[in-house]
Amino acid sequence: NEAFSSVWVVGEAQRVRPSSRGHVYFELVEKGDRDEIVGKLDAVIWKGDFVRVQRLLAASEQKLVDGVQIRCRGSLDFYPPGGRLQLCVREVDPAFTLGLLERRRRETLAALAAAGLLEKNRGLPLPDLPLTLALITSHGSAAYHDFLSGLTESGYGFRVLFFHAAMQGREAEREVVSALAALAGMAVDCAVLIRGGGSRTDLAAFDSRAIAEAIARAPFPVLTGLGHEIDRSIADLT
């Protein structure tokens, strides 16, 4: 490991798990063309380094979470009794992740525009008072409770069909797309896709092409409320 005392490594963070002592363990993986894992390396950020890394990421509204692509610098440590090779991360490059997210965002917007899907859903008629709603969000979240409370206080007789979906992390894309697909044959006035505020990495799922295409092709209007008012994901633009 003396030959690799300081190396830069790029990969997708998976199985991010903080320890009770303040250290953060995760895996760095490399994926092939079919999204299969072709390489994997155990990694750790010790408590003292993680405080600094966390502060640096927060300055650009990022977090170390499952599914995010990162570029990090560290040293390789080999533990002979267990035969384990581990990357001890000292530094994370926030500009790398931001640049990658922005490039993917531009590519997705261009692909949607070329397919005639941008703002397609907005052309669907929406009743002046849509009473039958499909709510897609995380069950028990602040967004879930705030939305239902608002409907109750309105005094109108809303009918709500609820579909749970993760609003961040590796399952968000699949579960949101699945919820919209399940609604395709149901008689609803519109669907409402909402979540509260968060970092750019928290909201990254809603820049995905799969979610944007599912919204664009939905046979009913889809209303979105994702993050704070200043946040504009691709899902909001579809």
Side-chain angles (χ1 to χ4, degrees), residues 35-64:
D35 207 37
E36 78 281 13
I37 295 175
V38 296
K40 181 167 63 175
L41 176 64
D42 288 334
V44 62
I45 308 179
W46 303 122
K47 179 180 179 180
D49 293 317
F50 184 65
V51 171
R52 185 183 68 259
V53 166
Q54 190 175 37
R55 185 167 54 244
L56 184 64
L57 292 175
S60 55
E61 298 186 342
Q62 297 183 67
K63 291 180 181 177
L64 180 62

Side-chain angles (χ1 to χ4, degrees), residues 84-168:
R84 185 180 65 180
L85 186 67
Q86 181 174 252
L87 178 69
C88 300
V89 175
R90 310 293 184 194
E91 181 182 352
V92 173
D93 178 9
F96 173 85
T97 303
L98 286 178
L100 190 61
L101 290 174
E102 184 56 33
R103 188 186 76 197
R104 288 179 175 174
R105 179 184 171 90
R106 289 196 303 267
E107 290 173 349
T108 299
L109 284 170
L112 293 170
L117 296 178
L118 268 185
E119 299 191 358
K120 178 183 178 180
N121 187 265
R122 297 188 184 193
L124 298 179
L126 179 68
D128 292 335
L129 182 58
L131 291 175
T132 303
L133 312 175
L135 173 61
I136 303 173
T137 191
S138 176
H139 183 266
S141 65
Y144 170 89
H145 289 296
D146 290 346
F147 184 80
L148 293 182
S149 294
L151 294 186
T152 301
E153 292 169 2
S154 72
Y156 292 102
F158 288 100
R159 177 170 175 256
V160 179
L161 305 177
F162 174 66
F163 288 79
H164 166 78
M167 291 289 107
Q168 66 187 58

